[in-house]
């Protein structure tokens, strides 16, 4: 029984999505994803998840909330010491 390339594509999917592999391997996986709906769907999920996490990491709390949290932390630290 031969593998149609799914095992290799899924094993290397993260490196492929981060563009961290040689051109030949990248081309092989890209071609596999073009012909395999299951692996292409997995790649889409991984890409979407990565984008959502990346956007979430760029968000910051409003300055007022940040100041309130820091003030509360200082108050707690003052009572502990």
């Amino acid at each position: 029984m031969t593998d149609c390339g799914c095992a290799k594509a899924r094993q290397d999917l993260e490196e492929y999505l981060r563009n961290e592999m040689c051109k030949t391997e990248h081309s092989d996986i890209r071609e596999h994803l073009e012909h395999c709906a299951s692996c292409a769907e997995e790649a889409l999920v991984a890409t979407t998840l990565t984008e959502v996490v990346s956007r979430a990491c760029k968000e910051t709390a409003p300055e007022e909330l940040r100041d309130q949290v820091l003030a509360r932390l200082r108050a707690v630290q003052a009572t502990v010491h």
Side-chain angles (χ1 to χ4, degrees):
M1 181 177 194
T2 60
D3 181 1
C4 66
C6 292
K8 174 78 172 141
R10 290 180 181 185
Q11 175 184 333
D12 296 338
L13 186 59
E14 291 300 318
E15 290 82 6
Y16 170 82
L17 294 174
R18 290 190 307 261
N19 213 14
E20 296 177 346
M21 55 181 33
C22 74
K23 287 183 180 181
T24 301
E25 288 180 324
H26 193 272
S27 294
D28 290 346
I29 293 176
R30 184 183 68 239
E31 184 176 330
H32 177 80
L33 294 176
E34 289 173 359
H35 297 96
C36 180
S38 177
C39 288
E41 184 176 323
E42 189 168 329
L44 177 60
V45 169
T47 301
T48 303
L49 182 60
T50 300
E51 289 171 359
V52 168
V53 170
S54 179
R55 277 195 309 267
C57 290
K58 292 177 184 174
E59 293 181 13
T60 58
E63 191 170 336
E64 182 179 319
L65 175 61
R66 186 181 146 277
D67 291 343
Q68 290 174 359
V69 169
L70 290 173
R72 180 72 180 129
L73 286 172
R74 287 186 197 107
V76 169
Q77 286 176 342
T79 60
V80 173
H81 295 285

